[in-house]
């Protein structure tokens, strides 16, 4: 359960890039705009046989030069993939 706490972060957008701060540890990482190679927005909707359960939520994925991705969403959790 505590592993998930280490992946909760706050972002601050500056004029030079994005500052990512892990809330529990305070560890900071700076992502300059120049290493962002792509941006993808995706709408996630929960559906059942009877139709949509919710209006859904938006996930933003930043693709970086080093092949990593940064998922920015208030509703995306590593331990819950449904």
């Amino acid at each position: 359960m505590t592993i998930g706490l280490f992946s909760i972060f706050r972002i601050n957008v500056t004029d030079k890039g994005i500052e990512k701060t892990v809330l529990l540890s305070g560890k900071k990482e700076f992502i300059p705009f120049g290493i962002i190679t792509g941006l993808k927005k995706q709408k996630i909707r929960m559906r059942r046989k009877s139709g949509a359960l919710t209006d859904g939520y938006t996930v933003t994925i930043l693709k970086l030069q080093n092949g990593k991705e940064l998922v920015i969403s208030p509703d995306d959790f590593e331990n819950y993939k449904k």
Side-chain angles (χ1 to χ4, degrees), residues 60-79:
T60 302
I61 302 170
L62 297 179
K63 296 184 182 228
L64 308 178
Q65 278 180 343
N66 60 6
K68 292 185 178 181
E69 293 182 340
L70 176 63
V71 178
I72 302 171
S73 170
D75 295 318
D76 182 70
F77 302 100
E78 287 181 358
N79 63 342

Side-chain angles (χ1 to χ4, degrees), residues 19-36:
E19 186 177 87
K20 175 183 165 184
T21 306
V22 178
L23 291 181
L24 194 60
S25 67
K27 178 183 172 190
K28 292 186 178 188
E29 177 185 357
F30 186 75
I31 303 166
F33 290 131
I35 69 164
I36 298 173

Side-chain angles (χ1 to χ4, degrees), residues 13-68:
V13 179
T14 69
D15 58 340
K16 295 182 181 179
I18 298 170
E19 186 177 87
K20 175 183 165 184
T21 306
V22 178
L23 291 181
L24 194 60
S25 67
K27 178 183 172 190
K28 292 186 178 188
E29 177 185 357
F30 186 75
I31 303 166
F33 290 131
I35 69 164
I36 298 173
T37 59
L39 175 73
K40 184 169 105 174
K41 289 185 89 176
Q42 190 174 341
K43 183 80 168 184
I44 307 295
R45 295 189 180 182
M46 300 293 290
R47 298 191 60 83
R48 298 277 187 208
K49 290 180 183 178
S50 60
L53 294 176
T54 67
D55 290 337
Y57 60 93
T58 302
V59 173
T60 302
I61 302 170
L62 297 179
K63 296 184 182 228
L64 308 178
Q65 278 180 343
N66 60 6
K68 292 185 178 181

